[in-house]
Amino acid sequence: MAPIKIVIIVAVAENGIIGRDGDMPWKLSTDLKRFKALSMGKPLVMGRKTFESVGSKPLPGRPHIIVSRSQGFDMPGVESATTLEGALERAKVIARDTGADEVCVVGGGEIYRQALGLAEMLHVTHVETVVDGDTSFPQIDPHAFELIEETSVPAGEKDNFPTRYAIYRRRSVR
Ligand SMILES: NC(=O)c1ccc[n+]([C@@H]2O[C@H](COP(=O)([O-])OP(=O)(O)OC[C@H]3O[C@@H](n4cnc5c(N)ncnc54)[C@H](OP(=O)(O)O)[C@@H]3O)[C@@H](O)[C@H]2O)c1
């Protein structure tokens, strides 16, 4: 059986910003559609603050594991874990049980920072702008990840900015 992959999905500005005041600093309808297609049917691992930012309700069609240090975290329709490692292990079990080949780490900043060293693939929407914000994504180390695919996406009617959608794969350790 092939191992279940850990993938990160993120949208990041040219200056590394991914969030502002508990929300995204942009509206990118095209990217939300891609996010939905990419993640549908796969377990999602997200931080407690990101879960709150999407209205504390699970996104349809995807099992959720919310990471919180609080033992008492309990919300309808989602599971929780008190460590990132615990969340990823649980997500992999769910993936195996449901026939998914990946688990998706979907933010926010605190969770991405800890998960970057564990991820095999990064699906990065590079948002072609510099914005103010309070939450960022770390620099992607080209020695650790290679770019394997890149597509320019002009801003559609419901997008604030043009984007560049890039897929990075962890380089194999020799
Ligand atoms: N642009 C994008 O692609 C994207 C994607 C997602 C989110 N965002 C943005 O990112 C921002 C939220 O990010 P954030 O960094 O503030 O918060 P976050 O990473 O979503 O959540 C942080 C919380 O996760 C829990 N946590 C983190 N590490 C943990 C660990 N090792 N073990 C147990 N629990 C752990 C803690 O919850 P407790 O405090 O409950 O213990 C912590 O307060 C928002 O602005 C959101 O819109 C952007």
Side-chain angles (χ1 to χ4, degrees):
M1 205 168 24
I4 309 280
K5 284 201 183 77
I6 297 173
V7 311
I8 281 179
I9 308 177
V10 64
V12 56
E14 286 165 1
N15 55 339
I17 291 296
I18 62 162
R20 181 171 61 218
D21 299 333
D23 204 351
M24 303 260 201
W26 44 64
K27 296 273 178 273
L28 294 171
S29 173
T30 307
D31 196 55
L32 287 181
K33 286 190 191 120
R34 186 209 321 282
F35 174 82
K36 186 175 177 186
L38 253 178
S39 62
M40 190 49 71
K42 300 171 189 170
L44 305 187
V45 171
M46 70 176 77
R48 191 260 308 162
K49 292 183 185 172
T50 291
F51 184 58
E52 285 180 358
S53 83
V54 296
S56 299
K57 281 200 294 269
L59 305 169
R62 287 148 283 188
H64 288 46
I65 298 102
I66 311 304
V67 194
S68 169
R69 295 186 179 89
S70 159
Q71 298 279 352
F73 182 92
D74 184 18
M75 295 291 281
V78 300
E79 294 189 25
S80 64
T82 54
T83 64
L84 175 62
E85 291 71 18
L88 290 169
E89 279 316 306
R90 178 65 190 137
K92 285 182 176 184
V93 169
I94 296 171
R96 233 166 249 129
D97 288 351
T98 56
D101 56 353
E102 297 177 337
V103 303
C104 302
V105 176
V106 297
E110 212 182 305
I111 294 298
Y112 286 139
R113 265 196 301 285
Q114 299 169 69
L116 188 56
L118 306 169
E120 279 95 31
M121 302 281 283
L122 314 176
H123 291 262
V124 183
T125 299
H126 292 283
V127 185
E128 297 190 333
T129 186
V130 170
V131 285
D132 286 338
D134 50 32
T135 315
S136 59
F137 190 81
Q139 284 278 343
I140 299 168
D141 177 2
H143 298 295
F145 290 98
E146 62 176 327
L147 178 67
I148 58 167
E149 204 181 305
E150 195 170 30
T151 316
S152 280
V153 183
E157 224 171 79
K158 295 184 186 162
D159 303 323
N160 291 154
F161 305 106
T163 60
R164 187 166 42 85
Y165 170 60
I167 304 178
Y168 300 84
R169 181 172 55 204
R170 181 173 291 285
R171 294 182 189 276
S172 49
V173 182
R174 289 167 208 276

